[in-house]
């Protein structure tokens, strides 16, 4: 009840009317606790019903802050589900911009409670013209007041909403970065991660190294959206991240390993090898996992073994790969025998270190007139293990030859770990939802073999 | 003449004798040299054999490390063996069953070849290795903490050394893990095996044993809820105390009102088919002194804020909450699940298809398994290692169960 009274003050409640706060809270809790799924019209009707209870602004804002129904029922409120949250947001929006702005102003003047700050941040998330800077100031003040722990989720939601409205707002983070406490900074990094926009990735890259104590957090966010980094930018980013491998903080170095794994850039292998024989067993394990993931090779934790392997791979890439790729490119013109194609495909697919670069080499083979050659290309792409091959393999699901369809399907299942039926529509839907955006994945034939 | 003839004959016999003696000596020397040579060859062969045997054993050791580091245990091949000093070896790995792998190491010095087989069992990534596990999500909010202790060695307090007791507080998920600022995992964090599965780390996070992706998904067995004759609804009125158990009991609903107390005595299987609600200012006590208590809740399960759950026994193996309800998503609100109680709970919470949020008031000694699992800010979980069946070493726990030189394999390849 004390919390509700505090909210009444913060929310600038007008005259309470005939009902007391306990009755209002009980009424709101009853409506929010309904279990039926809510469509748009039901949400609108529910919001009207909530506002018809009386001056429920303070009660609604408190629930917005806690993410629970009001504390009216015996034993406290219950967690709001997605439908209830939608209903609550709709009702809060109907309180009107003036009322909401006044509430945010009041919280900004006295950000002493996590619930009120969280509510203010969620109000800002609903406000189309709210800027990230205001959100960061509010969260920073809350953290300084010792109530940062309760506002992390609300800050993430508000920032993600702002960044998605305008991706250029991601840049607003950089000037404030030096002033942020660990909780606010973590929420910022997470919001940039959840935004899933190349602009957010660039912003994260720019934050790297500015505050070493937050680098592990930034690297973790980068790792989780490395699929948004274009191949052209991957090497540059890998070089920047590589410098973090030498960080004093083992957690930062481990996070750098995670980014390098996701980027999969072969040039990052030497810096990982240098770190292999490390005194820190946890870091050594992370480095070895990273090397194995990037290389596709399963060597033991011996720097010497990895160095000689890498030298052999580089030599192969310089000396043999161009001629093999060229030969595959001319396969259809020169009427190369299937046996010869098998030998060439086998050689190329046994160098997964260059998996992304080699995907393009199999383009001509996938379009070969001979079904056996197309099957071979699907199998080789499966062995190679690059997700860049997914769009082309998906296209092969409508091949006129059943064996090609079967091979393409097997490769898709192996590369994604998802066992969908061999229907192009189903796979295309999955790729659109899960895989990197088409703008990032280069079309086959566009990747150059030479580095 | 006669005498001369006789002298000449004596000198001839001496010559013959000397020749015979010389031949005998030569034969003896030849035999001695041959024997010595043979001994030397046998010694050399024995050393070669021993070298190749040691080489094969070294190959097995390397393969075991390989397995523990997440590899497949195969090293080199007959065509491209691994070089080891003056020896070469290769190791083949074959799955005997889902847990046991046969490693066969073959080594040669160019002359002699040895083969040794070792059977290893993968004890890694059992569901019981994890203190907390969220099939689809583990979300550790700021300042939350997971460590471990062994209830068979005494209380948690007696095992705490500094900020934590033991560092087997492993956290696992088949999908994603999020670790908020200042959260501490005294153990290993293992996220899902798919390419899109992630771990998100905030600032000032501690994960003492590091983190990595799982090799395969871990299954959470479904709950089999027993069925008994229903005793109807169980309600404990204000200021009342009720005691139920021991035995097998089934109620449709359980509800406690303010200032009431419900005692459950073990051994007991308690089935709640519809809902359980422990309201504010009421208590639920579990007395497992005489036997374990299993609670099966099929619907709502609410331990409301300011309610209290207590356990007479401090042994987490004696109390298990099985919540068999199903949530469609992390934000589902039906069935209602609430762990806001102010309690020190000793036991296991097993809810493989539910979204659970554990409040900071609810300190758990035992283990926690759910579909979506959130530990609120400042929440503490102390995993009881006594609940684990594996090696508490997710992702790297392989143990050797058999070793033998392969019969008839010590053959010369020359």
């Amino acid at each position: 009840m004390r919390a509700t009274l505090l909210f009444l003050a913060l929310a600038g409640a007008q005259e309470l009317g005939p009902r007391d706060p306990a009755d209002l809270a009980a009424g709101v809790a009853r409506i929010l606790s309904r279990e039926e799924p809510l469509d748009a019209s039901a949400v609108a009707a529910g919001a009207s019903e909530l506002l018809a209870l009386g001056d429920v602004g303070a009660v609604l804002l408190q629930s917005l802050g806690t993410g629970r129904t009001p504390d009216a029922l015996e034993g406290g409120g219950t967690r709001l589900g997605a439908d209830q949250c939608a209903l609550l947001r709709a009702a809060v929006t109907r309180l009107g911009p003036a009322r909401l702005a006044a509430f945010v102003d009041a919280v900004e003047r006295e950000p002493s409670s996590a619930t009120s700050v969280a509510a203010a941040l969620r109000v800002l998330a609903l406000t189309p013209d709210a800027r990230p800077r205001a959100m960061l100031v509010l969260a920073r003040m809350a953290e300084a007041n010792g109530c940062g722990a309760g506002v992390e989720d609300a800050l993430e939601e508000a920032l993600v909403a702002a960044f998605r409205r305008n991706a250029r707002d991601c840049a607003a983070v950089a000037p404030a970065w030096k002033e942020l406490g660990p909780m606010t900074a973590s929420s910022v990094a997470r919001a940039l991660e959840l935004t899933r926009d190349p602009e957010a990735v660039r912003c994260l890259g720019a934050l790297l190294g500015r505050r070493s104590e937050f680098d592990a957090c930034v690297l973790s966010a980068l790792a989780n959206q490395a699929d948004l980094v274009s191949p052209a930018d991957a090497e540059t980013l890998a070089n920047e991240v590589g410098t973090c491998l030498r960080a004093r903080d083992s957690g930062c170095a481990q996070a750098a390993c995670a980014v390098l794994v996701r980027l999969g850039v072969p040039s990052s292998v030497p810096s990982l090898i240098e770190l292999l024989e490390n005194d820190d067993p946890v870091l050594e394990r992370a480095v070895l996992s990273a090397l194995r993931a990037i290389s596709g090779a399963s060597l033991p934790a011996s720097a010497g073994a990895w160095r000689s392997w890498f030298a052999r791979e580089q030599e192969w890439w310089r000396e043999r790969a161009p001629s093999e790729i060229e030969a595959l490119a001319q396969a259809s013109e020169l009427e190369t025998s299937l046996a010869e194609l098998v030998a060439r495909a086998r050689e190329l697919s046994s160098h997964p270190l260059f998996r992304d670069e080699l995907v393009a080499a199999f383009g001509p083979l996938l379009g070969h007139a001979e079904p056996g050659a197309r099957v071979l290309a699907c199998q080789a792409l499966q062995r190679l293990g690059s997700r860049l091959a997914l769009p082309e393999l998906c296209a092969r699901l409508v091949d006129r030859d059943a064996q090609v369809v079967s091979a393409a399907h097997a490769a898709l299942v192996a590369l994604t770990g998802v066992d969908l039926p061999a229907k192009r529509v189903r796979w295309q839907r999955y790729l659109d939802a899960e895989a990197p955006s088409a703008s990032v994945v280069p079309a086959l034939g566009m990747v150059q073999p030479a580095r | 003449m006669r005498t001369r003839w006789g002298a000449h004959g004596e000198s001839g016999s001496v010559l013959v004798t000397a020749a015979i003696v010389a031949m005998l000596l030569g034969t003896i020397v030849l035999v001695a040299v041959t024997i010595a040579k043979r001994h030397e060859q046998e010694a050399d062969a024995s050393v070669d054999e021993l070298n190749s045997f040691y080489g094969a054993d070294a190959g097995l050791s390397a393969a075991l490390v390989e397995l523990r580091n997440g590899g497949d245990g195969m090293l080199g091949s007959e065509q491209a063996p691994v070089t080891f000093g003056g020896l070469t070896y290769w190791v083949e790995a074959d799955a005997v069953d889902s847990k046991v792998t046969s490693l066969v190491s073959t080594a040669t010095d160019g002359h002699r070849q040895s083969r040794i087989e070792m059977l290893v069992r993968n004890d890694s990534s059992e569901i019981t290795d994890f203190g907390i596990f969220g099939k689809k999500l583990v979300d550790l909010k700021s300042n939350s903490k997971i460590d471990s202790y062994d209830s068979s060695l005494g209380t948690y307090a007696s095992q705490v050394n500094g900020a934590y007791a033991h560092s087997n507080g492993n956290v696992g998920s088949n999908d994603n893990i999020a670790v908020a600022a200042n959260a501490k995992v005294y153990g290993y964090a293992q996220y899902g095996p798919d390419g899109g599965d992630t771990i998100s780390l905030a600032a000032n996070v501690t994960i003492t044993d590091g983190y990595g992706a799982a090799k395969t998904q871990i299954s959470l067995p479904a709950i089999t809820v027993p069925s008994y004759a229903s005793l109807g609804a169980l309600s404990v009125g204000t200021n009342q105390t009720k005691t139920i158990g021991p035995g097998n009991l089934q109620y449709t609903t359980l509800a406690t009102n303010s200032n009431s107390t419900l005692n459950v005595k073990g051994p007991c299987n308690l089935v709640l088919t519809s809902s359980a609600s422990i309201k504010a200012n009421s208590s639920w006590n579990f007395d497992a002194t005489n036997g374990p208590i299993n609670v099966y809740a099929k619907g709502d399960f609410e331990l409301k804020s300011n309610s209290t759950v207590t356990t007479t026994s401090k042994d987490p193996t004696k109390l298990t909450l099985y919540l068999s309800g199903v949530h469609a998503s992390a934000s589902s609100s039906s069935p209602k699940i609430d762990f806001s109680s102010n309690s020190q709970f000793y036991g296991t919470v097993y809810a493989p298809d539910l979204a659970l949020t554990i409040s900071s008031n609810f300190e758990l000694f035992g283990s926690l398994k759910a579909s979506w699992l959130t530990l609120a800010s400042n929440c503490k979980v102390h995993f009881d290692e006594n609940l684990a069946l594996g090696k508490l070493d997710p992702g790297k726990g392989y143990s050797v169960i058999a070793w033998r030189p392969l019969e008839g394999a010590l053959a010369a390849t020359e």
Side-chain angles (χ1 to χ4, degrees), chain B residues 2 62 80 144 156 203 205 210 230 251 290 331 355 362 406:
Chain B
R2 207 182 163 91
S144 55
Y156 173 78
V205 160
S230 178
Y251 296 93
N290 295 321
S331 59
F362 194 84
L406 287 180

Side-chain angles (χ1 to χ4, degrees), chain A residues 389-411:
Chain A
L390 294 177
E392 286 295 328
L393 287 168
C394 183
R396 287 294 115 202
L397 289 176
V398 289
D399 197 287
R400 58 188 177 277
D401 188 277
Q403 285 187 323
V404 178
V405 172
S406 176
H409 182 233

Side-chain angles (χ1 to χ4, degrees), chain A residues 185-209:
Chain A
S186 301
S187 295
V188 167
R190 179 105 172 111
L192 288 168
E193 176 188 332
L194 295 174
T195 301
R196 292 205 51 80
D197 187 281
E199 191 62 41
V201 179
R202 272 190 286 279
C203 179
L204 281 167
L207 297 178
L208 204 55

Side-chain angles (χ1 to χ4, degrees), chain B residues 387-408:
Chain B
L387 292 164
L389 303 175
K391 295 285 184 189
L392 283 168
D393 211 2
K396 53 182 177 177
Y398 278 85
S399 55
V400 178
I401 55 176
W403 180 99
R404 61 167 181 162
L406 287 180
E407 291 295 325

